[in-house]
Amino acid sequence: MESLSRQLHETNPMALLPATGEARTKMLPEQPTDLLVDVTEKDDEVIVTADMIPGVAKKDISLNLITPHSLKISCERKEEKKEEREGYYLRERSFGSMTRIVPLPKPVTENTASATFKNGVLEVHLKKVEKDSGGKISIE
């Protein structure tokens, strides 16, 4: 059981994405991350809504359409530099970078894509397309 668990968590998430032509109903295994997302589909677009980690600034979020069927959300929460470490009784807040690859139900393009970040919620609107593409998306 431990071996199976290790294989699931050490596998590159890109290898688990469905290849072109396969059924798009495959899901990635649950990834140990605090980036929780909702993916909805409307007539001509796919909308990804993510609850970001408290303390993450808009400038520390990166969006990349790595395939027409997968969106990569990356962020970094930076630790405030403090020389003194004394006085901590409990320290549970974590710092560092995090990445989540979100499978999308239909092929989309980064052209005409838009993203907003307000009150800790990231919302990405991606237009559906017939042909494949990929690229970086800026956040307003």
Side-chain angles (χ1 to χ4, degrees):
M1 188 67 160
E2 182 181 334
S3 174
L4 177 60
S5 176
R6 188 173 43 250
Q7 286 175 5
L8 285 174
H9 293 296
E10 292 177 359
T11 301
N12 178 352
M14 288 299 297
L16 300 172
L17 289 172
T20 304
E22 284 187 29
R24 301 294 176 201
T25 57
K26 282 188 175 179
M27 297 298 292
L28 291 172
E30 183 177 349
Q31 298 175 22
T33 178
D34 290 332
L35 295 176
L36 303 176
V37 299
D38 291 337
V39 179
T40 55
E41 185 179 350
K42 294 203 174 176
D43 294 333
D44 63 343
E45 68 179 352
V46 173
I47 303 167
V48 178
T49 306
D51 288 341
M52 300 306 291
I53 300 166
V56 172
K58 179 176 96 171
K59 66 179 179 60
D60 297 324
I61 302 171
S62 172
L63 299 172
N64 287 292
L65 191 61
I66 52 179
T67 74
H69 289 279
S70 55
L71 174 68
K72 181 169 96 171
I73 303 172
S74 301
C75 67
E76 182 177 9
R77 181 173 172 183
K78 297 180 180 174
E79 182 175 13
E80 299 168 6
K81 299 291 181 198
K82 291 187 180 178
E83 295 300 319
E84 280 187 41
R85 295 268 183 200
E86 295 179 28
Y88 279 104
Y89 172 72
L90 179 66
R91 187 167 186 174
E92 295 180 336
R93 297 173 51 216
S94 62
F95 301 91
S97 59
M98 208 175 281
T99 297
R100 172 86 189 259
I101 297 174
V102 181
L104 304 172
K106 301 285 185 197
V108 297
T109 181
E110 78 279 0
N111 299 336
T112 71
S114 65
T116 57
F117 183 62
K118 185 177 180 182
N119 297 327
V121 178
L122 176 69
E123 188 171 286
V124 185
H125 291 257
L126 301 157
K127 294 291 181 191
K128 293 180 191 176
V129 294
E130 293 300 319
K131 71 176 199 171
D132 293 351
S133 64
K136 191 169 179 105
I137 300 165
S138 63
I139 303 171
E140 295 175 14

